[in-house]
Amino acid sequence: MEQPPTSSSIATTSSKPRSYWRWSKQDFFPEPSFQTGKTYRDALANTCPRLKDRLLNRSTDSHELLVLPKASENRMARCLTWWDLTWLAFGAVVGSGIFVVTGQEARLHAGPAIVLSYAASGFSALLSAFIYAEFAVEVPVAGGSFSFLRIELGDFLAFIAAGNILLEALVGAAGLGRSWSSYFATMIKNDSDYFRIRIDSFKTGFNLLDPLAVAVLLIANGIAASGTRKTSILTWISSIVTTFIIGFIIIIGFVHGKSSNLTDFFPYGAKGVFNAAAVVYWSYTGFDMVATMAEETKNPSRDIPIGLIGSMSMITVIYCLMALALVSMVNYTQIDPEAAYSVAFVQIGMKWGKYLVSICALKGMTTSLLVGSMGQARYTTQIARSHMIPPFFALVHPKTGTPINATLLTTLSSCVVALFTSLDVLSSVFSVSTLFIFMLMAVALLVRRYYVREATDKSDLWKLLSCLFVVIGSCVVGAVLWNSGLFGWIGYTVAACVWFLATLVMSLLPMKRQPKVWGVPLVPWVPSLSIATNLFLMGSLGSEAFFRFLICTGVMLLYYLFVGVHATYDVDHGIGQESNQDERMEAGN
């Protein structure tokens, strides 16, 4: 069902400007279903038909571009170029993982083959970057993957993605805050837990309180909320400096490297390489945040592909060289998993180098926090514009041009997580959530290219759905076989052949839509390969990560059934429009 063009009029403003800082019930729950106890009980009684409506509902490009932004009351300023986007991507990605999980995964899972783990993850991330670039050029809005999935896969799957996007944002920011604290502690005293407070009565993994991580998150998010252009300039200047320092780290690593440290290259075998690849994927996350800046980009059709794909290609090469430098300098069994690079310099006798490395790591993580805060807030803004979460968080401040309410929501939530949760717990949950969203994005691109309502007949639709089912199913089976070790190479080969044949059949189907300006090459092969790599990396993670992921998803579904489905149903069907407009008019007077 197509979105009616007046569906967001519940959030329209009165002729008289209203204060940004307001806290009434109408700002959080303006929908008719939540006005009284009776209306809410009536809404709950109709949950099944409303859920069916939400499952079948899909948004449109024009709705996301033209209608939903009105809920923010003020527009975001178009002030970014390809140069800004390139360095925003670099700032978001470099520091969000390379200094955080490289040591951990080299020590525990991959050994010197951590280089191959980064290459595999980089390849998968580059495929996803192509997909994000096409969507962001076609639909340049702040919602990023949430908006793209809402258009192609419908409200329900978009909500599941939205919940995981918010989970990804909170966990990623919390992990960066904890890592910032670890690196700073090694500069003051050679103890990564120096600033943490141990609570023995708490469960392991949640028993080291980190107030410094909380302080860092508050400061970084405060800067990001002050203005997009200001944050962008600060980010690219800092990122250029970081690039020079990274070059120094790589050179020193190779100069002081020993070939003997690389002799046992696969200590944990191929399985260890891919287990590590699934976790170090965290190091590449952040580029999707650039897609959320599309609404603030001057020329999206040119700037976004250059910024996204160019930066990700450069970052992949840098990461592989940095990982190789680390395992060349120090035997993998001697790597410090908490602050690998700074401790490695101490181990080769360059104690002064640990300060330079730690400063670089801190700078990288700080810029990642800045860009991450910007992206998280814009994801949250678009989700709130659709009323899946309260529209209060969609408001854009008239002076800063930034979504301050959304920034506060993600900031305070990530601070709570960072205070209690250790890095190893955070990294596994983060990887599952991120890979799941990237897999859905690849599916959405295939749907966009091969299915257009009222232009695709039912037979072609069923062929497409069958091909997608076989592609996803073969990838899941292949990942399970790899993780379990059943049937050996024969099982992997059969799964790969089934994937290839399903993709081949899909390539023979008539393509119903071509990108207007810029698009992913070699469709359906590139998005199908993206599905395969993301599912394979997900399958390489441990069961505990999936258990945590399923718990979080279950909580999201409960929220959707009791709140989200009713709010979005009211908005999209225009229920109570006139009465809510009258109430807003009165509130503004």
Side-chain angles (χ1 to χ4, degrees), residues 52 79 82 97 127 134 145 161 164 251 271 274 278 350 363 427 456 496 508 527 553 563 570:
K52 179 181 178 182
C79 56
W82 67 268
L127 294 177
E134 176 173 330
S145 54
N164 280 283
I251 292 170
K271 189 171 183 179
F274 287 105
M350 298 178 64
K363 284 172 62 62
S427 60
T456 304
L508 300 176
T553 302
V563 180
D570 285 352

Side-chain angles (χ1 to χ4, degrees), residues 454-471:
E454 299 177 356
T456 304
D457 56 49
K458 287 188 177 180
S459 63
D460 286 338
L461 174 60
W462 283 111
K463 290 175 185 176
L464 172 64
L465 293 177
S466 299
C467 289
L468 284 173
F469 179 80
V470 175
V471 164

Side-chain angles (χ1 to χ4, degrees), residues 265-548:
F265 197 74
F266 291 98
Y268 301 99
K271 189 171 183 179
V273 172
F274 287 105
N275 285 344
V279 176
V280 302
Y281 202 95
W282 184 357
S283 303
Y284 290 98
T285 57
F287 71 84
D288 54 318
M289 297 297 179
V290 176
T292 68
M293 310 306 295
E295 194 170 315
E296 296 157 270
T297 302
K298 292 180 178 178
N299 187 353
S301 61
R302 181 198 64 187
D303 297 339
I304 291 174
I306 295 174
L308 268 178
I309 297 169
S311 61
M312 287 307 298
S313 301
M314 175 175 62
I315 289 166
T316 300
V317 174
I318 289 174
Y319 275 0
C320 290
L321 291 175
M322 287 189 70
L324 183 59
L326 176 65
V327 294
S328 297
M329 276 194 293
V330 183
N331 188 280
Y332 76 94
T333 60
Q334 303 300 315
I335 292 174
D336 186 313
E338 290 287 342
Y341 285 90
S342 59
V343 175
F345 269 74
V346 174
Q347 290 171 318
I348 64 172
M350 298 178 64
K351 292 185 178 181
W352 60 270
K354 81 169 187 177
Y355 297 103
L356 183 63
V357 174
S358 294
I359 290 171
C360 179
L362 292 175
K363 284 172 62 62
M365 286 183 276
T366 301
T367 53
S368 291
L369 283 170
L370 287 172
V371 182
S373 175
M374 293 168 67
Q376 294 154 17
R378 282 145 186 81
Y379 269 131
T380 306
T381 298
Q382 192 76 355
I383 295 169
R385 286 170 174 175
S386 71
H387 288 236
M388 284 189 181
I389 61 175
F392 171 80
F393 298 108
L395 299 176
V396 172
H397 196 279
K399 291 185 178 179
T400 64
T402 58
I404 293 180
N405 291 345
T407 304
L408 287 173
L409 174 66
T410 56
T411 301
L412 297 178
S413 301
S414 60
C415 284
V416 172
V417 176
L419 182 62
F420 293 98
T421 314
S422 67
L423 180 60
D424 59 335
V425 174
L426 292 171
S427 60
S428 61
V429 176
F430 185 89
S431 294
V432 175
S433 179
T434 303
L435 291 165
F436 175 70
I437 294 168
F438 288 174
M439 184 274 293
L440 285 181
M441 283 292 295
V443 173
L445 183 72
L446 290 172
V447 172
R448 184 174 182 84
R449 290 291 194 95
Y450 286 95
Y451 174 69
V452 175
R453 185 167 300 179
E454 299 177 356
T456 304
D457 56 49
K458 287 188 177 180
S459 63
D460 286 338
L461 174 60
W462 283 111
K463 290 175 185 176
L464 172 64
L465 293 177
S466 299
C467 289
L468 284 173
F469 179 80
V470 175
V471 164
I472 295 172
S474 62
C475 293
V476 170
V477 170
V480 171
L481 292 177
W482 171 264
N483 208 31
S484 63
L486 295 175
F487 305 114
W489 66 269
I490 296 176
Y492 317 143
T493 303
V494 171
C497 289
V498 173
W499 167 85
F500 178 84
L501 290 174
T503 307
L504 179 63
V505 171
M506 194 185 308
S507 69
L508 300 176
L509 296 177
M511 196 175 296
K512 300 297 184 180
R513 191 200 310 257
Q514 292 290 342
K516 299 173 185 175
V517 181
W518 187 93
V520 176
L522 300 175
V523 174
W525 296 100
V526 168
S528 182
L529 188 58
S530 180
I531 292 172
T533 56
N534 285 312
L535 285 173
F536 183 78
L537 290 175
M538 286 178 69
S540 299
L541 292 168
S543 58
E544 189 174 359
F546 282 94
F547 181 68
R548 292 166 180 157

Side-chain angles (χ1 to χ4, degrees), residues 44-268:
L44 290 179
N46 290 291
T47 297
C48 288
R50 289 185 169 196
L51 182 59
K52 179 181 178 182
D53 177 88
R54 298 293 83 202
L55 287 170
L56 298 175
N57 185 76
R58 296 170 71 208
S59 185
T60 63
D61 293 12
S62 60
H63 186 79
E64 299 293 317
L65 282 167
L66 304 175
V67 179
L68 288 189
K70 295 177 183 177
S72 294
E73 299 186 1
N74 299 288
R75 301 288 297 191
M76 298 182 191
R78 291 193 179 273
C79 56
L80 302 176
T81 66
W82 67 268
W83 175 264
D84 297 301
L85 294 179
T86 298
W87 291 108
L88 282 171
F90 190 91
V93 176
V94 177
S96 63
I98 187 67
F99 294 111
V100 176
V101 294
T102 306
Q104 171 186 298
E105 294 308 305
R107 175 79 176 264
L108 302 178
H109 294 121
I114 189 69
V115 179
L116 300 181
S117 300
Y118 269 107
S121 291
F123 176 71
S124 180
L126 190 59
L127 294 177
S128 295
F130 271 98
I131 293 167
Y132 270 87
E134 176 173 330
F135 271 113
V137 168
E138 296 274 301
V139 193
V141 293
S145 54
F146 167 72
S147 292
F148 310 149
L149 293 174
R150 193 164 182 249
I151 291 169
E152 300 304 334
L153 301 185
D155 263 28
F156 180 73
L157 281 177
F159 173 80
I160 298 299
N164 280 283
I165 286 167
L166 295 179
L167 175 64
E168 174 190 346
L170 301 183
V171 170
L176 279 172
R178 298 279 297 199
S179 297
W180 201 102
S181 174
S182 292
Y183 265 89
F184 188 69
T186 59
M187 291 179 65
I188 306 301
K189 187 177 181 180
N190 198 23
D191 178 9
S192 57
D193 293 329
Y194 182 63
F195 290 107
R196 292 174 181 144
I197 303 169
R198 182 178 295 275
I199 308 294
D200 293 328
S201 58
F202 289 4
K203 183 181 178 180
T204 302
F206 303 91
N207 61 336
L208 289 174
L209 304 188
D210 199 334
L212 180 59
V214 173
V216 169
L217 287 171
L218 290 173
I219 294 170
N221 282 269
I223 295 172
S226 66
T228 300
R229 185 59 181 165
K230 183 191 305 182
T231 307
S232 173
I233 293 172
L234 180 63
T235 299
W236 66 256
I237 292 175
S238 177
S239 296
I240 290 174
V241 175
T242 301
T243 303
F244 284 106
I245 300 177
I246 286 174
F248 171 80
I249 294 172
I250 292 172
I251 292 170
I252 293 297
F254 289 153
V255 169
H256 290 267
K258 299 177 181 178
S259 59
S260 58
N261 289 331
L262 303 176
T263 51
D264 188 10
F265 197 74
F266 291 98
Y268 301 99

